[in-house]
Amino acid sequence: MTRLTVVGDALLDRDVDGRVERLCPEAPVPVLDAIAERSRPGGAGLAAALAAADGHDVTLVTALARDEAGYELASLLEAAGTRVIDVGLETATPVKVRVRCDERLLVRIDRGGGQVRTATRANGDAVEAVVEADGVLVSDYGRGLTSEPWLREALAAVEQVVWDPHPRGAEPVDGCALATPNLRETGTDGSLVAAERRARELRDEWAAEAVAVTMGPNGALLVEEGPAVVLPAPPAAGGDPCGAGDRFAATAAAGLAAGAPLVSAVSAAVECASAFVAAGGAGAFQLERSTGMPPGEPEDAVQLAARVRARGGRVVATGGCFDLLHAGHVGTLTAARALGDCLIVCLNSDASIRRLKGPDRPLVPEEERAAVLRALRCVDAVAVFDENTPAEVLAGIRPDVFAKGGDYAAQELAEAEVLACWGGEIAILPYVEGRSTTRLLAEAAARA
């Protein structure tokens, strides 16, 4: 198990979700009827919780106040499996409250801003946690903790330090293995040429071994001694980018601490950050499990559905063989995705298709069919099933809508009975004439 120490400013994030149906009589502003309120670690606390959910042995060195928010934040971090070393905070624990309606942010309320005031003397437990870790992530949110001389001295003695900087924060200590500014923090026009030039300047200024400039949906630009490398991000349409930088930095730091090559660690960080955004970002993060996946590991359909439901989203599912993917399939899948906040494809296994269509099918094995489907922008997850119908896998996913393309009546579908158990609906989508796998096979045989 990798021992990772996260150093930085922890915040308490609160999400207040509600609905708006009227205006306030005192002023023309919306009245929010609160439905749900959730608290979670933010800042360095989120990075630590994410790393702990990934299965690492995580210690967080941070500064917490002796106030209600500080006690709640410490409790959340401990519940996330993170050991907390509190060096003491004389100012208030920072709190960010996001008020949302229909997944849209109405207002954010910040409390406890400004620089921190921590103890000026060295904290023995904190120093020990830094120097004895397999790797260290510095998650700087610009509140002053990373300026403490005793802490910087300890960080300078560690080889595997990943530093996630902040415009108002301290400069990284010399010799960091990786610094991870985002594109906005480089102050460039957004072009790759300008970003690379600035990344090389920062690498020299900070005496860092490498700099990875995170570029949101465009992935990351990695600069070390040789040529720069662009690591593209998988699509994350419709997601929430809140917390993506922490997801990226935590994955990269853990990868380097475990001995992964630099390019592999940064590539994994890009993939995990993209998956994190697609799954709903920090607002959908569940403390009991990670929302990022190791590279190459597909999104779990049941967990995705639970996360989308937890933030009030609408889960859509569809099913089929998808043996030879064609325009009709893509049209139906795109239409299905538009019905909700995620689309899960229930895919017939090879054995299931053989029973339904004969021993000559499928032409493409299930692993490859699933991989092609996951590559589509409109598909969020794939669940393979062995039965003749997806009833059993639907019972685990419990979608709000089951979409089917064709000329069916809803009551004719075998899935109707199981969907009725939780009030799920069936949506019949337009059938694309002249598009079918059977027709494609017939045409190919005729031309052979």
Side-chain angles (χ1 to χ4, degrees):
M1 182 183 293
T2 304
R3 295 177 303 167
L4 183 68
T5 294
V6 179
V7 177
D9 310 303
L11 323 168
L12 179 64
D13 280 342
R14 280 205 183 97
D15 294 325
V16 178
D17 293 298
R19 59 175 177 266
V20 173
E21 297 176 341
R22 65 193 191 280
L23 293 177
C24 176
E26 291 88 0
V29 297
V31 175
L32 183 90
D33 292 319
I35 297 173
E37 184 173 334
R38 298 179 300 275
S39 297
R40 51 186 164 79
L46 175 61
L50 287 166
D54 287 339
H56 305 297
D57 181 1
V58 180
T59 298
L60 172 65
V61 176
T62 192
L64 301 177
R66 295 181 179 275
D67 55 18
E68 183 179 350
Y71 295 135
E72 182 178 2
L73 181 52
S75 178
L76 288 170
L77 289 164
E78 290 171 4
T82 301
R83 177 192 176 209
V84 178
I85 297 178
D86 177 13
V87 301
L89 178 61
E90 296 179 9
T91 49
T93 301
V95 180
K96 294 182 179 180
V97 181
R98 293 173 176 85
V99 180
R100 302 183 300 185
C101 173
D102 295 331
E103 296 298 307
R104 290 181 174 86
L105 185 65
L106 296 180
V107 65
R108 196 182 90 180
I109 305 167
D110 289 4
R111 295 197 295 268
Q115 293 291 105
V116 302
R117 291 198 299 273
T118 63
T120 55
R121 64 184 185 280
N123 183 301
D125 290 340
V127 171
E128 182 179 345
V130 168
V131 299
E132 293 190 357
D134 297 319
V136 176
L137 167 62
V138 177
S139 182
D140 191 355
Y141 272 74
R143 294 178 55 79
L145 179 61
T146 57
S147 299
E148 293 288 351
W150 61 268
L151 186 54
R152 295 182 66 82
E153 182 180 351
L155 290 167
V158 179
E159 291 185 6
Q160 291 293 355
V161 175
V162 173
W163 196 293
D164 191 11
H166 191 278
R168 297 192 304 271
E171 287 195 354
V173 297
D174 289 352
C176 286
L178 179 67
T180 62
N182 63 39
L183 192 59
R184 178 178 54 82
E185 290 166 349
T186 65
T188 63
D189 60 7
S191 68
L192 287 175
V193 172
E196 179 182 351
R197 183 186 306 115
R198 182 55 181 154
R200 294 197 183 280
E201 292 173 353
L202 291 173
R203 180 174 177 269
D204 291 339
E205 289 176 17
W206 296 337
E209 294 182 20
V211 171
V213 179
T214 55
M215 303 185 296
N218 295 320
L221 175 71
L222 179 61
V223 171
E224 43 183 335
E225 188 64 38
V229 177
V230 175
L231 300 165
D240 186 345
C242 179
D246 296 303
R247 174 73 273 184
F248 176 90
T251 305
L256 291 177
L262 178 63
V263 173
S264 297
V266 176
S267 179
V270 169
E271 292 191 26
C272 280
S274 183
F276 183 75
V277 170
F285 174 59
Q286 302 294 312
L287 293 181
E288 68 272 15
R289 63 172 67 93
S290 170
T291 52
M293 288 82 64
E297 182 178 332
E299 175 72 281
D300 179 86
V302 174
Q303 292 183 3
L304 171 63
R307 285 195 291 273
V308 171
R309 275 195 299 271
R311 66 175 193 267
R314 187 174 172 89
V315 179
V316 182
T318 189
C321 300
F322 301 97
D323 197 1
L324 290 179
L325 197 68
H326 53 70
H329 289 142
V330 175
T332 299
L333 292 169
T334 302
R337 179 61 176 82
L339 297 174
D341 299 287
C342 74
L343 175 62
I344 298 170
V345 177
C346 303
L347 182 67
N348 290 78
S349 69
D350 293 346
S352 175
I353 293 177
R354 282 192 291 270
R355 289 195 303 271
L356 295 171
K357 297 182 178 291
D360 295 333
R361 300 280 298 276
L363 298 173
V364 181
E366 62 191 59
E367 294 87 356
E368 295 181 17
R369 288 184 285 123
V372 171
L373 287 167
R374 291 188 184 104
L376 297 178
R377 185 182 294 271
C378 57
V379 175
D380 298 285
V382 176
V384 179
F385 63 94
D386 285 319
E387 298 75 26
N388 290 346
T389 75
E392 186 173 336
V393 72
L394 286 173
I397 297 168
R398 298 174 69 86
D400 301 287
V401 179
F402 181 73
K404 192 72 175 177
D407 53 1
Y408 306 93
Q411 61 270 23
E412 295 175 356
L413 293 175
E415 296 83 4
E417 184 176 352
V418 68
L419 284 160
C421 294
W422 58 85
E425 301 174 321
I426 291 180
I428 303 299
L429 301 175
Y431 180 74
V432 182
E433 292 291 342
R435 299 287 188 270
S436 74
T437 300
T438 302
R439 182 173 178 272
L440 289 174
L441 291 174
E443 288 184 0
R447 297 179 185 182

